[in-house]
Structures are given as C-alpha cells and as structure tokens.
C-alpha cells in the first residue's frame, strides 16, 4: 500500500492517538476524530491529553509536519480506523453503541475500495454486524469495500514500542479484506502479521485477556487457600514454578484496569453456558478485593482487642497495577474506600507514590506512612515499597508479595 493515502481514525484515546501518530510518522496523512473538543484542540496544538511515554514526541512532530490533524467530524479518507471505547452496560452486557455510531458517521464518506477496520475490543460478530449496517445504507458498495477486525495488545506504558514490535492478528470479512488490511499494517508494524477471519480475530483479543484473568484467578484462589492453610503463598508459587512447565502468576488485591477485568464478560455474556471457568474466574478476582477489605477490617478489630487502642493503618498503593499512575477500575481504590466507610477513630495513611494528590484520599509519603503505622496493608507492588525493611513490630498484611 503506498503512503499517499489518507487515514481517518475515529477515537483519539489510549490506542487511537498513538496509532494515528505512528501512522502519521510514516508520512501518511491522518485525520483524527474525537467527540471531545478539548482533545481535538490539545492535539492540534501539538500536545497530548494522556500519559504515555514518547507519545508527545510523535504527536508534536506529526502535527508540525502537517501529517496529523484532529477534527470533531469524520473526514473523507481511504482507510477508516474505528478505535472507540466498548464499555459494558451495568449487567455486563457489551456496549458496541460507540462502534456503531462511529460506523454510521463513516458511511456517507465511503467509496469503492475503501478499507474499514475495527480495532476496539468487540464481541464476536461485531465486524459482520457493521458490514450489514454499511451495506444496508450503501447497497451499491456491496463487496466493493475491504473490511477487517484487528485487535491491539499493547501494554499501557509501553504503547509506542509495542504498536510496532508486537505481532498482530488481522481478521478480514473475506480474504481480499485480510490482504488489504495486512498491506495497511505493514506500513508501520514490524511484528508478524497473522491472517485470519474477523470472528476469530475478535475472539482472539477476548481470549488473550480472559486467559490471563483465569490465570490470575488461580493465583488469587491459591492465596485464599494458603491464608487458611498457614502457608506462605509466595514461597509456594515460587517453588511450584520451578517445575519446567508450570507458570503460576502472582496473587494481588484483585484485578483492575479496563481490559482484563472487562473483556472476559464479552465472552460470558454471549456464551454463558459454555464459559463456566471464565465466569468463575471473574467472580474469584472480584471476590479477592472484597476478601482483602474484610481481612483489613478484622485485623483492625483484633488489634483493638489485643492492644486496647485503635491502630494507625497504612494503605500502600491505590493504582490498578504496579508502577503506574492509573487508578481507573482499581481494586486497591475500592479497598481504600471500604476502609474509609468503616472508619471509627483509627488514623489511616493513604499512599500512592505515582500520583501527587487525590481528591478523595489525602496522600502520605510512603516511608512516613510505613514508619508511623501499626498495621501496614500492601495492596500494589510498587517498586518503592520493595525498598522498605520488614519490621517485626508491625502487623504487615502483604497482599502483593512485597516481602516475598
Ligand atoms: N495482575 C495480578 N497478578 C498478575 C498479573 C496481573 O493480580 O500476575 C493484575 C494487575 O495488578 C492488574 C490486572 O491484573 O490489576 C491487569 O494487569 P495486566 O498486567 O494484566 O495488564 P493490563 O490490563 O495493563 O494489559 C492487558 C495486557 N493483556 C495481556 O497481558 C494478555 C495487554 O497486553 C493488553 O493490551 C491490555 O490488557 C488490553 O488493553 O487489553
């Protein structure tokens, strides 16, 4: 595919903006579209609205070179990338309304030989549903468009590297679409491009994250068992992983973020009878956060009974995973909120080294909190916490293997 094409990306978030900036850095004209006017203005001023290493450099250069411009409305192009959110409704039903809305906004601009790609995590069959909508509105384009589903699998914090280096699965609605989409991604992806159909590509994304959720649930279930069996779960997992074909992941205070904790529901909601393990893993990982909150409450109560006074408590970590500043969908934040709800006269120090301040939790520096507290609950395995020395005089609740 030559570079004098125009790409229109719908959705300029954690994936849409990095992808747009990367494609633009190859000399391709990219029109980014977002419903949020401040996002559009921020990008057109050469700045970014999200935290992602190196992204600012790419966006500034692409905007200055005139290869990246943001708009509130869809611009006519040759390639359309749909990279909008796919949240779920309150009963864990996937919500593809943003994908459908973006598609309907594209339809009037479509012409023969255009390439339409969905990257948003979607329930199986979504690309086929969008094909029907497009052909219903534009019957003259039937079989004259290229349409594909191509999920991303980048790790937040390493996006600009992984967008280039990771292999990608390219799922066309037919083989000519798969080929066309592979031509497009070969413009900027160095990883291997794996052809398949759209349903398999849609399920592949969900499978990757559901498999990780199940693996984490196994580790979390082990931690509950070991707590009762009075076994050090960190030592147990380390020993079991000495087996050449065993790789048990790490227990935590629950599973957060808007990927691993969300995507499995896309499978469960469509295949509820068949996805028993996937569904139970979701329950186990959600229950772990509740169990941690209860454990902290019980520890406070037994401290008061045995010491005759209320403890000072340190809640170590609020982010959804180690060494990041993202608190969205964070089990640690949920646990901290539960602690606040049950507070009597205990003093609580909230610690999150990756953010300066928080509108709900008054933050304390981690060394100070550790020194002052009687009970220390480690919720997130931030690197800073691993520099602390184990102190026998404190009640240490280590839910994430700081002192493993
Ligand atoms: N977690 C554990 N124990 C572990 C590993 C993770 O409790 O051993 C927890 C983390 O603390 C966090 C949650 O699971 O709360 C998810 O963290 P994560 O490291 O699995 O990753 P995400 O959500 O940042 O990114 C995942 C990745 N998917 C896989 O590793 C299969 C990433 O490649 C995807 O692109 C991303 O989801 C996504 O956007 O789908």
């Amino acid at each position: 595919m030559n570079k004098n094409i125009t790409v229109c990306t719908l959705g300029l978030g954690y994936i849409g903006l990095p992808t747009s900036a990367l494609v633009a850095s190859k000399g391709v004209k990219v029109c980014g579209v977002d419903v949020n006017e401040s996002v559009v203005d921020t990008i057109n001023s050469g700045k970014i609205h999200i935290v992602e290493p190196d992204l600012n450099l790419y966006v500034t250069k692409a905007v200055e070179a005139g290869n990246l411009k943001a708009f509130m409305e869809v611009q006519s192009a040759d390639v359309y990338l749909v990279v909008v959110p796919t949240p779920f409704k309150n009963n864990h039903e996937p919500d593809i309304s943003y994908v459908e809305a973006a598609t309907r906004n594209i339809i009037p601009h479509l012409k023969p030989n255009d390439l339409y790609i969905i990257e948003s995590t979607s329930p199986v069959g979504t690309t086929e549903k969008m094909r029907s909508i497009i052909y219903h509105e534009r019957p003259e384009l039937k079989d004259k468009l290229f349409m594909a589903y191509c999920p991303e699998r980048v790790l937040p914090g390493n996006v600009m590297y992984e967008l280039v280096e990771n292999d990608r699965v390219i799922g066309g609605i037919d083989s000519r679409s798969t080929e066309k989409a592979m031509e497009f991604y070969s413009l900027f992806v160095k990883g291997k491009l794996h052809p398949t159909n759209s349903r398999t590509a849609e399920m592949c994304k969900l499978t990757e994250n559901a498999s990780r959720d199940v693996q984490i649930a196994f580790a979390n279930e082990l931690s509950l068992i070991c707590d009762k069996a009075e076994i050090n779960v960190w030592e147990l997992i380390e020993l079991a992983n000495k087996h050449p074909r065993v790789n048990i992941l790490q227990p935590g205070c629950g599973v957060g973020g808007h990927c691993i904790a969300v995507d499995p529901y896309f499978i469960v909601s469509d295949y509820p009878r068949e996805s028993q393990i996937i569904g139970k893993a979701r329950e186990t990982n959600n229950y772990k956060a509740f169990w941690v909150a209860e454990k902290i409450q019980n520890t406070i109560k037994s401290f008061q009974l045995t010491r005759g006074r209320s403890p000072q408590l340190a809640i170590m970590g609020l982010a959804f995973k180690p060494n990041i500043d993202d608190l969205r969908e964070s089990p640690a934040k949920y646990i901290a909120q539960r602690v606040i709800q049950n507070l009597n006269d205990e003093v609580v120090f909230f610690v999150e080294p990756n953010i300066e301040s928080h509108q709900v939790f008054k933050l304390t520096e981690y060394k100070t909190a550790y020194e002052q507290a009687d009970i220390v609950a480690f919720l997130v395995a931030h690197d800073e916490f691993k520099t602390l020395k184990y102190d026998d005089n404190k009640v240490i609740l280590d839910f994430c293997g700081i002192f493993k």
Side-chain angles (χ1 to χ4, degrees):
M1 182 176 279
N2 57 41
K3 295 184 179 178
N4 58 9
I5 54 166
T6 305
V7 175
C8 181
T9 308
L10 288 90
L12 296 173
Y14 284 85
I15 303 302
L17 180 56
T19 305
S20 300
L22 194 57
V23 173
S25 74
K26 301 298 176 190
V28 175
K29 282 247 174 306
V30 180
C31 304
V33 181
D34 202 284
V35 292
N36 185 324
E37 189 170 6
S38 73
V39 168
V40 170
D41 295 343
T42 304
I43 292 164
N44 286 335
S45 66
K47 296 190 179 64
I48 59 175
H49 61 295
I50 53 181
V51 176
E52 185 57 48
D54 301 336
L55 177 59
N56 209 0
L57 199 69
Y58 276 88
V59 170
T60 307
K61 277 175 76 174
V63 169
E64 280 170 1
N67 284 335
L68 175 61
K69 191 164 170 45
F71 301 85
M72 301 272 297
E73 297 83 31
V74 173
Q75 305 297 304
S76 293
D78 307 301
V79 180
Y80 296 92
L81 282 185
V82 176
V83 201
V84 296
T86 44
F88 51 65
K89 299 166 193 159
N90 44 23
N91 54 351
H92 292 146
E93 281 288 310
D95 175 3
I96 60 168
S97 60
Y98 295 101
V99 171
E100 184 171 338
T103 302
R104 290 188 183 280
N105 288 334
I106 291 168
I107 287 174
H109 297 268
L110 287 169
K111 63 185 185 298
N113 293 324
D114 279 354
L115 173 56
Y116 164 95
I117 297 171
I118 302 175
E119 288 202 357
S120 311
T121 302
S122 301
V124 174
T126 299
T127 310
E128 289 162 345
K129 274 190 192 141
M130 294 307 119
R131 173 183 55 184
S132 313
I133 291 173
I134 291 171
Y135 287 165
H136 179 263
E137 300 298 319
R138 299 285 303 275
E140 81 282 9
L141 288 174
K142 193 164 175 352
D143 300 333
K144 293 195 175 65
L145 294 174
F146 299 102
M147 300 176 68
Y149 179 78
C150 177
E152 48 70 32
R153 49 181 53 153
V154 295
L155 204 63
N158 198 27
V159 171
M160 297 318 289
Y161 172 81
E162 291 202 359
L163 272 180
V164 175
E165 301 299 333
N166 286 4
D167 285 12
R168 297 213 49 173
V169 171
I170 317 277
I173 51 160
D174 50 33
S175 53
R176 59 192 280 278
S177 295
T178 305
E179 277 159 43
K180 194 75 174 174
M182 288 178 77
E183 278 178 42
F184 169 68
Y185 282 99
S186 57
L187 286 176
F188 64 97
V189 175
K190 285 194 196 133
K192 204 166 170 343
L193 302 177
H194 302 281
T196 184
N197 60 59
S198 62
R199 293 176 73 84
T200 305
E202 288 159 346
M203 183 60 95
C204 185
K205 172 68 184 177
L206 302 177
T207 299
E208 289 161 6
N209 283 351
S211 72
R212 188 162 172 84
D213 197 45
V214 167
Q215 291 173 58
I216 298 167
F218 182 81
N220 280 330
E221 185 162 285
L222 268 188
S223 69
L224 303 186
I225 295 165
C226 288
D227 182 72
K228 198 151 197 173
E230 294 178 15
I231 292 170
N232 178 318
V233 68
W234 312 104
E235 181 189 6
L236 170 71
I237 291 173
E238 191 177 356
L239 292 174
N241 283 349
K242 299 295 184 199
H243 185 291
R245 285 176 298 288
V246 172
N247 176 32
I248 301 166
L249 295 184
Q250 297 296 302
C253 69
V255 168
H258 38 291
C259 313
I260 305 286
V262 171
D263 297 358
Y265 289 120
F266 283 37
I267 298 176
V268 174
S269 67
D270 283 345
Y271 309 96
R273 288 175 53 82
E274 293 77 11
S275 46
Q276 298 297 317
I277 293 176
I278 295 171
K280 191 65 190 160
R282 279 285 68 239
E283 287 173 32
T284 302
N285 287 330
N286 288 339
Y287 174 69
K288 180 67 187 287
F290 171 78
W291 183 88
V292 167
E294 289 294 292
K295 188 87 182 165
I296 293 171
Q297 291 308 330
N298 294 339
T299 306
I300 291 171
K301 286 194 191 97
S302 64
F303 185 97
Q304 284 158 337
L305 283 174
T306 52
R307 307 288 183 91
R309 67 174 175 87
S310 285
Q312 300 204 122
L313 170 70
I315 296 289
M316 307 293 275
L318 296 172
F320 90 76
K321 70 184 231 185
N323 306 320
I324 61 160
D325 63 353
D326 191 346
L327 275 63
R328 288 174 306 162
E329 324 281 330
S330 164
K333 194 174 71 174
Y334 158 79
I335 292 160
Q337 282 156 345
R338 286 286 305 267
V339 167
I340 289 182
Q341 284 158 11
N342 296 292
L343 265 191
N344 295 311
D345 57 350
E346 303 87 4
V347 170
V348 186
F349 303 107
F350 295 103
V351 175
E352 181 40 70
N354 296 291
I355 57 175
E356 293 301 314
S357 62
H358 190 272
Q359 66 270 32
V360 173
F361 306 106
K362 180 176 167 298
L363 300 179
T364 301
E365 190 271 336
Y366 74 97
K367 289 195 196 100
T368 309
Y370 188 64
E371 276 153 26
Q372 304 280 325
D374 302 302
I375 300 173
V376 184
F378 287 100
L379 301 182
V380 189
H382 292 317
D383 288 346
E384 292 86 345
F385 300 160
K386 294 174 184 171
T387 64
L388 297 168
K389 292 271 170 294
Y390 192 87
D391 181 344
D392 274 327
N393 298 314
K394 298 180 184 298
V395 179
I396 305 272
L397 299 173
D398 184 4
F399 297 111
C400 56
I402 297 295
F403 296 116
K404 63 181 167 190

